[in-house]
Amino acid sequence: MQKIAEYIRTKQMKEMGLSSRQIQKLLEQGQLLKLKQGLYRNADMFLQDQSFLDVCYAMPYGVITGFSALAYYGLTTHIPQDVSIAIPRARKVSKMIYPPVSVIRQDISKFKRNIVKVKRGKYSFNIYDMEKVVCDTIKNRNKMGTDTMKESLREYLKRKDNNMLKLYETARRCHVFDKLDEILTVMR
């Protein structure tokens, strides 16, 4: 049997001569992981931030956000139960089987800003920059919790690579400038 690529589609395995039964056997033996209908990953593949790579390989138009992005940047002690990914509102999305995913739909004008591409080997994923993540936490404080908002801002301020000018510019674009200013005044 040929070596299975790191990411592989059902069609490719069929072209390699694998039957549906053989594919199922590889799944049962733990050699393959099913990410979504028609897309698999070689179970031996493991890179840093593997779950982000899996989700963004399956949804290349998505951007890591929310608790997942906070955890990535070390801005929270909260351990996410799933990968939070933002997608354009009009975009269709197929259901992920693995890893668990929460999808956040955004208007395309808000979606395209502050995206950073992170490389891991020959793969990459998109994630919002720290400033956008902090501003989103302020904007969504009722959903994410005020403790999470305060913690993310406190941790951001401790970082040597924080950029207050960029944070204020992003807050203005995200319509949370006044709230950010109010919170920072109280924290001083």
Side-chain angles (χ1 to χ4, degrees):
M1 186 183 305
Q2 297 175 356
K3 179 161 173 33
I4 295 182
E6 292 168 332
Y7 290 106
I8 192 162
R9 300 198 177 276
T10 305
K11 181 181 177 185
Q12 293 169 301
M13 288 190 280
K14 298 278 185 173
E15 289 170 356
M16 291 170 52
L18 293 173
S19 67
S20 297
R21 181 168 285 197
Q22 289 170 313
I23 294 170
Q24 185 59 38
K25 189 172 183 178
L26 290 171
L27 281 167
E28 290 168 2
Q29 292 172 344
Q31 294 178 5
L32 277 182
L33 289 173
K34 187 172 187 175
L35 302 180
K36 69 177 191 175
Q37 188 64 40
L39 179 64
Y40 302 84
R41 174 172 60 84
N42 187 322
D44 292 339
M45 177 186 179
F46 189 79
L47 297 170
Q48 184 180 358
D49 305 311
Q50 185 67 57
S51 60
F52 294 172
L53 293 168
D54 290 347
V55 171
C56 288
Y57 190 86
M59 292 185 248
Y61 44 83
V63 181
I64 303 299
T65 190
F67 283 113
S68 299
L70 286 172
Y72 175 81
Y73 291 119
L75 299 176
T76 185
T77 53
H78 177 87
I79 299 169
Q81 300 300 309
D82 54 20
V83 177
S84 298
I85 189 162
I87 62 165
R89 191 172 305 283
R91 189 76 193 220
K92 278 187 160 183
V93 62
S94 56
K95 184 176 174 6
M96 291 285 299
I97 296 168
Y98 179 84
V101 174
S102 64
V103 176
I104 298 158
R105 295 183 178 277
Q106 293 183 344
D107 292 328
I108 197 74
S109 60
K110 295 175 186 170
F111 174 80
K112 290 185 172 185
R113 292 187 182 140
N114 299 73
I115 297 174
V116 176
K117 184 180 274 304
V118 178
K119 294 278 288 168
R120 296 287 183 251
K122 62 183 178 181
Y123 300 103
S124 63
F125 62 89
N126 291 326
I127 188 168
Y128 287 118
D129 66 21
M130 281 191 297
E131 291 75 17
K132 170 98 165 75
V133 172
V134 170
C135 290
D136 285 348
T137 306
I138 294 168
K139 188 173 201 137
N140 299 309
R141 64 191 174 278
N142 292 334
K143 290 179 188 172
M144 298 178 83
T146 54
D147 289 343
T148 299
M149 176 195 67
K150 290 175 189 173
E151 178 186 37
S152 68
L153 194 49
R154 195 171 30 253
E155 292 302 315
Y156 177 81
L157 294 171
K158 286 181 190 175
R159 292 179 65 113
K160 290 185 184 350
D161 61 344
N162 78 38
N163 182 336
M164 293 306 291
L165 180 60
K166 187 175 179 183
L167 180 64
Y168 272 112
E169 288 171 359
T170 304
R172 193 174 306 283
R173 276 198 315 273
C174 293
H175 308 288
V176 295
F177 181 86
D178 291 340
K179 190 65 181 173
L180 172 64
D181 197 43
E182 176 187 320
I183 294 164
L184 288 175
T185 301
V186 170
M187 289 176 77
R188 287 185 188 140

